[in-house]
Amino acid sequence: MHPNFSFNFLLFSFNASAYSIFFWAALFVFVFGSYFFATRKMHLEKRRVGCFLLIVVIAGVIGARVLNAFLNLEFYFNNPQRFWSLKLQGFSVFGAFLAIPFGWIYCRLFKLDLWKIADSITPFLGFGIALMRMGCFLNGCCYGKETKLPWGVAFPSMGRNHLHQISENPFLLLSGPAAVHPTQLYELLAALTGGIAAFFLLGKKLPSGAVFLVFAIWFSVFRFLNNFLRVPPSTFDAPELFYPVFYIFFISLGGFLLFKRLRNSSKKV
């Protein structure tokens, strides 16, 4: 855990949180990686791709904040300024899917192939998520439940993870923090694996949209399973079954759309 970094250069010093550093790194990798890949490898029109990425990034950030607020209603009700805060905290990854309808509208208006551009951004979506989860790990948030597995991670004493454990078991105040599942790193590996697999699948003769849908299904399945190992934030006040039902919906929808894309492609052969 390393929540803050300090940089010194000559007479200048700069402090930044690990989460903000990796957030901007993720955004940079996603936007510029997607742009160059979509325009140079997929031969899509530069200006339209640039506008598309700008729209989905803005809509994705707003969607991630909206979902986080929905899942932590009481906290946001008591701290309404948090909703409009420009601080890089309080985002739920799957809320970024709000970008899909906005991206679809843009593609319809400017005759851009939505499925093709969705495929082209998929690898960098995976790499971006992986970078964000490294930020979460260093920040000490999104931690998992206690485990005795050899790869369990013990976060520093009196950090947010340790304080949560003390609230569950006061004796841990004396014995120190217990090891927990590094759910952030699990998700990092899942996103990274999905991104690498997307590059491989883009070289195959699959119908447009298949690569994006395979990644969406894979990552949703993983998040569904990882959710059972993760400790929800103390402000979380949504129903316990919200996330399982939420992920099952995405998995089912992705599976249905993938089936349709593959079936329509086979009919054309």
Side-chain angles (χ1 to χ4, degrees), residues 145-240:
K145 297 178 180 178
E146 294 180 24
T147 181
K148 296 187 180 299
L149 292 171
W151 56 80
V153 174
F155 287 94
S157 296
M158 305 312 293
R160 64 184 71 189
N161 173 241
H162 189 207
L163 292 175
H164 166 76
Q165 292 177 350
I166 292 172
S167 69
E168 299 285 329
N169 181 6
F171 290 104
L172 289 175
L173 177 63
L174 301 176
S175 61
V180 299
H181 284 283
T183 47
Q184 314 95 324
L185 299 185
Y186 294 166
E187 196 164 314
L188 182 155
L189 291 174
L192 187 61
T193 300
I196 294 172
F199 267 129
F200 174 76
L201 292 175
L202 284 169
K204 303 296 180 180
K205 293 182 178 180
L206 295 173
S208 60
V211 174
F212 172 76
L213 291 170
V214 167
F215 176 86
I217 294 168
W218 153 250
F219 195 66
S220 297
V221 169
F222 181 85
R223 288 272 297 199
F224 173 77
L225 298 174
N226 201 37
N227 182 65
F228 295 104
L229 301 177
R230 181 176 165 180
V231 176
S234 58
T235 57
F236 187 83
D237 55 12
E240 186 177 351

Side-chain angles (χ1 to χ4, degrees), residues 19 61-92 233-237:
Y19 188 86
V61 170
I62 293 174
R65 174 60 59 80
V66 169
L67 180 59
N68 187 262
F70 174 76
L71 298 175
N72 304 273
L73 285 175
E74 184 176 352
F75 177 75
Y76 278 84
F77 181 80
N78 294 327
N79 303 272
Q81 74 283 356
R82 177 70 178 270
F83 189 86
W84 311 105
S85 174
L86 297 179
K87 291 183 178 179
L88 297 180
Q89 56 185 7
F91 297 103
S92 296
S234 58
T235 57
F236 187 83
D237 55 12

Side-chain angles (χ1 to χ4, degrees), residues 92-105:
S92 296
V93 171
F94 266 66
F97 277 93
L98 178 66
I100 293 178
F102 286 92
W104 178 81
I105 292 171

